[in-house]
Amino acid sequence: MNAREQADAHVRAMMRWHFEPATGSRYWLDRRHQLGFDPVEDVRCVDDLLKFPNLVDELRDVPVEDLIPRGLDATEKVFAVYESGGTTGAPKRFVMFENWFDQYMAWENSQYPDDGTGHALAVAPSGPHMLGEYSKRIAEARGGIRFSIDLDPRWVKRLLAAGDTAGAGAYVDHLVDQTELVLQSQDIAFLITTPPLLARLAERASSRALIQEKVRLVIWTGAHMDPDTLDYLSTELFPKTRFRGSYGSTSVLSGTVQRTAPESTGDTGDTGDTVFDSYAPFVIYRVVDPASGLPVEFGSEGTVVMNYLTKYGLVPNSLERDLATRVPSPTGAGDSLRNIHPVAEVDGQKMIEGVY
């Protein structure tokens, strides 16, 4: 079978796993007969995942025990319960299993064999957010130690929503102060942070000089970075430092790998564009027309939809708060993404990106 056929077979296997009484979770078994179709009989390929309604908002208050598949044996350990950022209301919760985290990180790390070794500094949220543990595993895979500056992105969003830009700015300055102390005393090769925080670090001359002196690779994630800002940071301010983005979502308990698009074929965009690939067939992205729910043409912009399809959990057709240009994926399963940026509003509510 080719990669697309393997992905379709994986979809069918996951439908059987999550909707059979012996293996499925209480959440999905209870909903099987409410869907208006039979997922085992009617979802036969990647494209059929579009049949699912977007039920992810229900995960704001579902008991996490109801999300755990019955078919998992006692050797499968829950590592953590991670939460979404809470941008559009109460956070949604997702169960991370240790073996899935290991599997995903092994795949991502295998895509970047030339990173070298060294310590990492993460200026990023931990607690209920996946990014904290992700940064620790990035450091460990590169033979280093993870230093960290914690932050509460929800507090920043609350300040901004209340119009307290001075309070939000003071909080970010507090984070930059702490970051400088680590950079001054430690040999940091990898900086893992969000674009808004990276911008503030670049604005301050002292922290900018420390990054220029020490950091070999910046991994940015957790928020939007427009191409002009990325170009300015990587060519004007930090020309000796490599930059890498990772786009992901807590809903699919994973990120992406970044690649540079080949020469334009008329489908993938301009030569040299940055493209993000998911860990297919376990994580599948689609770019759809928000009105029809159907995929847009390659090279066109639409809303990002994510699917998480593992034996550890099922999150189909999760409508994200981001827009992106649709790009053919390397495997033919789902889509890859470029030019990712947040929507302005969700259900009439203005989006506040903050620092994460």
Side-chain angles (χ1 to χ4, degrees), residues 28 49 52-56 305-309 314-318:
W28 281 116
L49 293 169
F52 279 96
N54 178 23
L55 298 174
V56 73
V305 168
M306 296 187 178
N307 298 271
Y308 174 64
L309 304 155
L314 173 67
V315 181
N317 225 24
S318 174

Side-chain angles (χ1 to χ4, degrees), residues 136-338:
K136 181 174 180 288
R137 293 178 181 229
I138 287 287
E140 290 174 346
R142 287 149 185 80
I145 298 168
R146 189 277 311 265
F147 296 83
S148 60
I149 307 298
D150 197 14
L151 66 96
D152 184 351
R154 295 173 186 164
W155 180 244
V156 177
K157 290 175 183 178
R158 184 172 178 176
L159 292 173
L160 293 173
D164 188 0
T165 55
Y171 182 74
V172 173
D173 286 340
H174 171 61
L175 299 174
V176 174
D177 291 341
Q178 296 175 74
T179 302
E180 279 197 26
L181 293 175
V182 178
L183 288 170
Q184 286 167 0
S185 62
Q186 305 299 321
D187 186 13
I188 301 298
F190 308 105
L191 176 62
I192 304 167
T193 191
T194 69
L197 289 172
L198 180 60
R200 291 297 284 266
L201 288 164
E203 287 174 3
R204 186 184 293 187
S206 52
S207 55
R208 181 170 67 244
L210 287 165
I211 295 171
Q212 290 168 337
E213 175 189 351
K214 295 187 173 185
V215 174
R216 299 200 313 265
L217 172 66
V218 170
I219 300 175
W220 58 271
T221 186
H224 167 242
M225 174 100 79
D226 66 81
D228 290 340
T229 299
L230 178 59
D231 181 68
Y232 177 67
L233 291 172
S234 61
T235 62
E236 298 294 330
L237 296 188
F238 306 111
K240 296 181 180 179
T241 303
R242 292 189 296 129
F243 281 71
R244 177 187 304 154
S246 180
Y247 172 72
S249 173
T250 312
S251 66
V252 291
L253 296 170
S254 61
T256 55
V257 295
Q258 173 186 298
R259 63 183 168 92
T260 300
E263 291 187 3
S264 176
T265 63
D267 289 334
T268 58
D270 296 332
T271 303
D273 275 355
T274 297
V275 174
F276 296 96
D277 300 324
S278 70
Y279 183 24
F282 308 102
V283 178
I284 294 175
Y285 295 166
R286 304 309 302 265
V287 181
V288 305
D289 180 332
S292 69
L294 299 176
V296 300
E297 297 294 327
F298 287 121
S300 297
E301 183 177 87
T303 302
V304 177
V305 168
M306 296 187 178
N307 298 271
Y308 174 64
L309 304 155
T310 75
K311 69 177 183 178
Y312 304 106
L314 173 67
V315 181
N317 225 24
S318 174
L319 189 68
E320 295 296 310
R321 53 185 175 88
D322 297 309
L323 303 173
T325 300
R326 187 185 182 204
V327 178
S329 73
T331 63
D335 301 324
S336 293
L337 313 174
R338 67 175 177 88

Side-chain angles (χ1 to χ4, degrees), residues 4-36:
R4 177 57 190 264
E5 291 169 337
Q6 291 174 2
D8 290 342
H10 178 71
V11 168
R12 293 191 292 273
M14 289 299 96
M15 293 301 104
R16 293 191 297 271
W17 174 266
H18 287 289
F19 290 99
E20 291 295 341
T23 53
S25 68
R26 178 181 298 175
Y27 176 83
W28 281 116
L29 293 176
D30 286 349
R31 279 154 184 76
R32 178 171 183 174
H33 300 295
Q34 302 172 16
L35 294 172

